[in-house]
Amino acid sequence: MTAKKSALGKGLGALIPDVEVKELEGVKEVDINDIFPNEEQPRKNIDIEKIEQLAQSIKEHGIIQPIIVKKEGEYFKIIAGERRWRAARLVGLKKVPIIEKEISEKEAMEISLIENIQREDLNPIEEALAYKKLIDEFGLTQDELARRLGKSRPAITNSLRLLNLDKRVIDMILNSDITEGHGKVIAGIEDKNKQYEIAIKVVNEGLNVRQTEKLIQNLNNIKDKKEKNNTKDIYIKDIEDRLKNIFGTKVNINKGRKKGKIEIEYYSEDDLQRILDILNL
C-alpha cells in the first residue's frame, strides 16, 4: 500500500513537468462533507449512469485511488477525482481517502484538465473550453499547452476552432447529432447561420465528414464564382449602359474567359437602319 501511495504522489508531477507539486501529507481519510468540487472543473456534464457504475465498484472494492485535493480554509477543494467523490456520496460513505497538494490555481486547473482528458471524460466542447481557459486566464501559449498535454499544436488549434461555431451547432455536437469532425469542418465557415444550415443538412442527409468537406468545398466554389461574376457585372453593366445610351436600345454583353459577344437589339428594319447609321455603316 505504501508503494502505491508513493506512486500516486509522483504521478501528478510526471503529468506536468513544469509543475512542482508539493505533497503536504500522505494518504489520509477525511469527512466526505469537508470536500467540495472545483467550480473550474472542465467537465460540466456529469454522466449519471457512469457515476452509478463507479458507485457500485466502490461499494464492492472501496476507493482504490485517493482523491487529490487542495486545502482551502477548513475544507478541501477537489483537484482530481470528482467522480469518485460523487460516487462515494451516492454509496453513503462517511469518509474518503485524500492526498492533499500545495499547488496554484493554474496548476490545479492543468491537473484537472489532464486527468479528464486521459480518462476521456470531457466532450469536445468542454475540452476546447478548458484549453481556452488555460490560454486566456493563465497565459499559456498553444505551443506550451500542446507540450504539457502531450499533444500537437494543430490538435489544440483544431479543438479551439470548435468554439467559433454557432451555438446551435455546438449544441448538436453536445447532443451527438454531429461529430467533432463535422464541427471542425463546419467551423471553417464564417457565417453562423450558414454553419447551422450545413449542420442540419449533415443530419438530414446522414453525411459523413468527407462528404461534408466536399459539400463545403462546392459551396465555396459557387460563392467564389458568384463573387467573381458580380465583380465582372459591375464593369460589364457600365459598358452596357453606355452603349444603350448611344444606340437607344437594349444592349447585352456576354463575356467568356477569353472572348465574348455584344448583342444590340432592334425592333424593325427602320430601327436596324438607325443603328447602322450611328455606326456609319
Side-chain angles (χ1 to χ4, degrees):
M1 183 67 175
T2 303
K4 189 169 192 177
K5 292 177 184 176
S6 177
L8 287 169
K10 294 179 180 177
L12 294 177
L15 287 174
I16 314 177
D18 294 342
V19 174
E20 291 188 7
V21 179
K22 180 181 179 182
E23 183 176 323
L24 300 183
E25 299 180 33
V27 177
K28 63 181 179 180
E29 286 194 336
V30 298
D31 191 314
I32 195 169
N33 294 318
D34 289 343
I35 301 174
F36 64 96
N38 184 358
E39 293 181 356
E40 303 302 327
Q41 143 85 278
R43 184 181 63 249
K44 303 302 180 185
N45 296 322
I46 304 297
D47 190 323
I48 301 300
E49 184 177 344
K50 288 185 178 180
I51 296 296
E52 291 174 345
Q53 292 173 357
L54 182 56
Q56 183 60 37
S57 174
I58 288 176
K59 187 175 181 180
E60 294 179 11
H61 308 290
I63 298 181
I64 298 174
Q65 184 176 358
I67 298 168
I68 310 301
V69 299
K70 176 185 178 184
K71 189 75 177 289
E72 290 204 354
E74 298 300 317
Y75 299 94
F76 301 93
K77 179 165 71 175
I78 298 173
I79 297 173
E82 182 178 335
R83 291 198 316 158
R84 277 165 271 155
W85 174 75
R86 289 181 180 275
R89 285 169 59 92
L90 191 61
V91 171
L93 293 186
K94 302 299 182 184
K95 291 182 177 293
V96 292
I98 67 165
I99 294 179
E100 185 182 346
K101 299 292 180 181
E102 188 178 74
I103 55 178
S104 68
E105 288 299 318
K106 170 185 171 182
E107 292 160 349
M109 177 65 181
E110 289 181 81
I111 291 170
S112 182
L113 170 61
I114 291 173
E115 188 209 32
N116 281 285
I117 289 177
Q118 289 184 333
R119 293 177 179 273
E120 299 182 347
D121 282 344
L122 298 183
N123 64 54
I125 302 302
E126 288 173 337
E127 188 172 331
L129 287 170
Y131 292 161
K132 187 174 188 300
K133 186 176 186 66
L134 286 168
I135 290 170
D136 293 346
E137 296 190 16
F138 301 122
L140 291 179
T141 66
Q142 289 190 26
D143 284 332
E144 290 172 335
L145 189 57
R147 177 172 54 82
R148 295 192 185 195
L149 297 176
K151 291 179 174 287
S152 66
R153 179 175 177 177
I156 301 293
T157 302
N158 285 331
S159 178
L160 290 169
R161 289 181 66 202
L162 294 175
L163 302 181
N164 296 326
L165 290 169
D166 181 86
K167 185 181 183 305
R168 294 167 294 180
V169 180
I170 288 177
D171 288 341
M172 293 173 75
I173 295 175
L174 292 174
N175 295 330
S176 299
D177 296 322
I178 62 175
T179 68
E180 176 184 3
H182 286 111
K184 289 176 179 178
V185 172
I186 296 173
I189 298 174
E190 294 184 7
D191 189 312
K192 297 294 179 70
N193 288 325
K194 183 63 67 175
Q195 289 178 356
Y196 181 61
E197 289 175 12
I198 291 175
I200 290 295
K201 189 176 182 68
V202 168
V203 173
N204 290 340
E205 298 184 14
L207 303 180
N208 59 34
V209 174
R210 181 66 187 124
Q211 290 169 326
T212 305
E213 288 178 337
K214 188 67 175 178
L215 169 65
I216 292 175
Q217 183 181 5
N218 290 338
L219 290 175
N220 286 336
N221 289 339
I222 292 173
K223 180 183 177 183
D224 291 343
K225 185 175 181 180
K226 184 177 180 181
E227 290 177 349
K228 189 175 181 180
N229 288 338
N230 285 341
T231 301
K232 289 181 179 179
D233 286 345
I234 295 173
Y235 172 69
I236 297 300
K237 187 68 169 59
D238 177 62
I239 297 176
E240 287 178 342
D241 289 341
R242 286 157 59 191
L243 291 175
K244 179 180 178 180
N245 290 331
I246 293 173
F247 295 112
T249 188
K250 185 175 180 180
V251 176
N252 291 316
I253 298 178
N254 296 315
K255 188 175 184 300
R257 180 175 297 179
K258 294 184 178 180
K259 61 182 181 179
K261 164 171 75 169
I262 298 177
E263 297 177 341
I264 304 173
E265 293 189 8
Y266 66 91
Y267 307 100
S268 65
E269 289 186 1
D270 290 340
D271 198 27
L272 172 60
Q273 187 58 54
R274 179 184 65 80
I275 293 171
L276 294 175
D277 289 341
I278 293 173
L279 293 172
N280 291 323
L281 297 177

